[in-house]
Amino acid sequence: MDHARSPLYAAIDLGSNSFHMLVVREVQGSVQTLAKIKRKVCLAAGLDKQLNLSEDAMQRGWDCLSLFAERLQDIDTSNIRIVATAALRSAKNADVFITKANQILDHPITVITGEEEACTIYQGVAHTSGGKGKRLVVDIGGASTELIIGEGFDAAALTSLDMGCVTWLEQHFKDRTLTEASFTRAIDGAKQVLAPIVERYRSLGWDICVGASGTVQALQEIMIAQGMDEVITLAKLHRLRKQAIGFGQVEELDIDGLTLERALVFPSGLSILIAVFEQFDIDSMTLAGGALREGLVYGMMDTMRQQDIRTRTIQSIQSRYQLDRAQADNVANMALNLLSQCGDEWIAEPIAEEMLRSASELYEIGMSIGFKKDGVHAAYLIKNLDLPGFTQAQKQLLAELLRQYREQLHPVGIQSAVSAISANRILRLLRLAIILCHRRDSNVLPPVTLNTNSDELTLTLPTTWLANNPLMAAELALEAQRQSDQHWPLSIS
């Protein structure tokens, strides 16, 4: 047996709209995705008024599971979790479907309660999303919507509601017309379902709000395709609602960034999310890194439970790419020391400090491909790696910082993680910290003082130290010229 080979894990989610299978393995403290298989089964659409699944809907499900079964045969049964959610919770003939499904998969299916689903979704979010403080998590599925408030890995409130983008499509957009009236009915209907929990959730409160579903992902993809940033707001949701109404019919929807696969349930999912925003007075929402399937997978991996997701991600990448952790710490400590001397007002966004630390800890990743153009290599890797704990906008900012970390200097372009002013200010500090740490020894770092006057920086070092380190003095002088050429005055004294 090959002991170096890490075991495979599989999570299958028999959802109300789609069936999903996720296959992963653990690599250097991170989860590496090996396969994602999805089939649109539309199980919930096969429920009649007596809540019986049609033979056609069940057959679509069994056909899908036959595909999944082939992939499962090489995975240890103790590393497999298969769960069914809202449609099979409510179907009166669910046992008929599950009996045959168990035979196909040769592995038991667990029909989880709404609360268990919400709890597992929250674990998926907690293991893959950054940010501190309390989270409000919203997951709009095919036949249910989960809302959770939690902090760290602990959920304080778990709710699963009987509404989803498939069921709302049949209830409020049955004739497939898109009008002010149909959207208003769908939004008001969702608000009624949400009403019983609003007071409790508002009293618990939250610091950040994240969406963990295909609905939220689809909305974010549309916004980015249309030139907006990744943050979802109520104003943007109403803008998309107006766009949808302009097409008149669901079948005519041709919104930039909307895939054909999501088009049918787009209006109903949008309506539910608008209701959530309005009922809970949400300012903004970002997309979570994972949800139900990730919660199932991480639940099978005891070693992955670390409170700071970004730290776990950084350490995993450092191991995989054999980065020099001591040097990464040197640069991070120096960069944060410089930042602390700039004053609280110099960089407005709290996340900017995290981005500076992360860039410092990963700045040599491009050298794993080659020294020449290592900044280009680093940017490519960061943009394309899975980075649990970082949003897409934060990944983009990290990539741009690492692209420019040495030699030629160009301002960071427009991105949405922080303001352009803040992005370029942390880039300047990163470049200085790397030069100051070039000897790769924490015992020989110079004492430095940094003074700021808006974009004007003055870096002061002991005169004797500069005299005794002529290469460092020359590098700092060259960096001062490069920053000054970008109208960012830097003087070395």
Side-chain angles (χ1 to χ4, degrees):
M1 181 178 175
D2 181 1
H3 292 283
R5 176 182 280 189
S6 55
L8 303 184
Y9 296 83
I12 293 179
D13 157 24
L14 310 185
S16 303
N17 191 32
S18 301
F19 285 6
H20 298 260
M21 180 158 108
L22 174 66
V23 180
V24 305
R25 69 183 182 120
E26 187 180 340
V27 180
Q28 302 285 359
S30 71
V31 172
Q32 182 185 62
T33 300
L34 298 178
K36 277 186 176 180
I37 307 168
K38 174 187 176 184
R39 290 293 184 272
K40 198 167 183 181
V41 174
C42 301
L43 208 59
L47 284 168
D48 63 20
K49 289 181 180 178
Q50 285 74 44
L51 294 180
N52 283 305
L53 281 169
S54 69
E55 187 68 30
D56 283 350
M58 289 196 288
Q59 190 61 54
R60 290 196 299 270
W62 294 327
D63 290 345
C64 172
L65 296 182
S66 297
L67 303 179
F68 290 1
E70 180 185 327
R71 196 69 176 83
L72 287 182
Q73 60 191 340
D74 304 314
I75 301 174
D76 191 303
T77 54
S78 63
N79 292 349
I80 298 170
R81 288 283 320 272
I82 306 171
V83 300
T85 57
L88 286 166
R89 275 200 297 270
S90 56
K92 289 182 178 174
N93 59 342
D95 58 326
V96 176
F97 178 82
I98 289 169
T99 299
K100 186 168 179 179
N102 284 338
Q103 293 169 359
I104 293 169
L105 294 168
D106 195 25
H107 194 89
I109 295 167
T110 304
V111 180
I112 54 175
T113 66
E115 189 165 297
E116 287 171 329
E117 182 176 359
C119 184
T120 310
I121 288 166
Y122 184 75
Q123 291 304 311
V125 172
H127 276 288
T128 58
S129 305
K132 294 180 173 64
K134 280 188 185 175
R135 296 187 189 91
L136 170 64
V137 176
V138 180
D139 187 312
I140 301 167
S144 68
T145 293
E146 282 68 43
L147 293 101
I148 310 105
I149 291 178
E151 189 165 4
F153 292 105
D154 302 316
L158 297 161
T159 305
S160 181
L161 301 168
D162 289 333
M163 66 173 172
C165 55
V166 175
T167 50
W168 239 233
L169 172 70
E170 295 308 315
Q171 284 189 44
H172 299 286
F173 300 94
K174 196 169 184 64
D175 62 359
R176 305 298 190 256
T177 60
L178 301 174
T179 63
E180 287 280 2
S182 60
F183 267 100
T184 299
R185 281 195 307 272
I187 293 166
D188 289 347
K191 285 182 176 180
Q192 287 178 19
V193 176
L194 293 164
I197 66 166
V198 170
E199 188 176 337
R200 182 187 171 210
Y201 273 57
R202 282 191 168 186
S203 67
L204 283 170
W206 57 84
D207 301 303
I208 54 173
C209 180
V210 292
S213 63
T215 295
V216 176
Q217 182 176 344
L219 288 167
Q220 191 187 76
E221 287 169 358
I222 293 166
M223 290 171 184
I224 292 170
Q226 295 188 11
M228 298 180 251
D229 64 35
E230 66 173 17
V231 179
I232 297 169
T233 64
L234 184 60
K236 291 176 184 173
L237 295 178
H238 279 301
R239 175 173 160 182
L240 294 181
R241 178 185 59 83
K242 286 179 181 173
Q243 284 185 37
I245 290 169
F247 289 98
Q249 291 282 330
V250 172
E251 288 78 5
E252 300 297 321
L253 274 175
D254 190 19
I255 293 174
D256 282 351
L258 176 63
T259 62
L260 195 61
E261 186 183 14
R262 294 292 313 181
L264 188 61
V265 294
F266 168 75
S268 47
L270 176 60
S271 302
I272 293 170
L273 195 58
I274 288 171
V276 170
F277 263 73
E278 292 183 347
Q279 281 287 63
F280 294 96
D281 198 21
I282 295 168
D283 293 324
S284 62
M285 173 186 282
T286 55
L287 180 66
L292 181 64
R293 291 174 295 286
E294 288 75 15
L296 294 171
V297 162
Y298 280 95
M300 291 185 276
M301 298 177 171
D302 296 335
T303 58
M304 301 299 293
R305 194 178 176 91
Q306 184 173 325
Q307 289 289 346
D308 191 326
I309 307 306
R310 290 194 190 111
T311 297
R312 189 191 72 204
T313 295
I314 296 289
Q315 290 175 349
S316 170
I317 291 173
Q318 288 175 331
S319 293
R320 285 168 62 189
Y321 289 89
Q322 299 182 319
L323 302 187
D324 183 338
R325 285 191 180 178
Q327 173 64 0
D329 289 343
N330 290 340
V331 173
N333 291 336
M334 178 62 77
L336 296 176
N337 173 26
L338 295 176
L339 178 61
S340 70
Q341 297 184 53
C342 296
D344 294 339
E345 305 301 317
W346 198 62
I347 290 178
E349 305 91 341
I351 193 63
E353 181 177 341
E354 280 285 316
M355 294 300 100
L356 177 58
R357 182 197 304 274
S358 299
S360 301
E361 291 170 331
L362 297 176
Y363 82 96
E364 291 188 314
I365 190 173
M367 291 186 191
S368 61
I369 296 177
F371 177 76
K372 191 175 182 181
K373 294 188 176 180
D374 66 322
V376 174
H377 302 324
Y380 174 82
L381 286 169
I382 293 300
K383 278 187 175 177
N384 290 282
L385 281 168
D386 280 336
L387 296 185
F390 296 86
T391 69
Q392 279 300 116
Q394 290 163 1
K395 282 176 65 172
Q396 183 188 350
L397 173 58
L398 275 182
E400 288 308 308
L401 292 172
L402 297 190
R403 188 192 303 276
Q404 305 281 345
Y405 86 89
R406 70 179 180 93
E407 296 189 346
Q408 296 305 311
L409 174 61
H410 304 284
V412 174
I414 294 172
Q415 44 72 51
S416 57
V418 298
S419 69
I421 291 173
S422 296
N424 287 300
R425 285 178 174 179
I426 59 177
L427 172 61
R428 297 175 71 188
L429 299 185
L430 174 67
R431 289 170 63 95
L432 284 172
I434 290 167
I435 294 170
L436 291 167
C437 294
H438 85 121
R439 288 183 63 184
R440 310 181 78 85
D441 184 347
S442 60
N443 296 312
V444 297
L445 293 174
V448 293
T449 304
L450 184 65
N451 292 304
T452 62
N453 179 15
S454 186
D455 269 331
E456 188 174 338
L457 299 182
T458 303
L459 185 71
T460 305
L461 300 99
T463 307
T464 53
W465 195 90
L466 282 172
N468 291 332
N469 292 271
L471 176 60
M472 172 78 75
E475 289 290 323
L476 287 171
L478 183 57
E479 180 62 17
Q481 185 61 54
R482 285 172 172 156
Q483 293 200 17
S484 299
D485 285 347
Q486 299 299 332
H487 308 292
W488 302 328
L490 169 63
S491 55
I492 312 295
S493 63

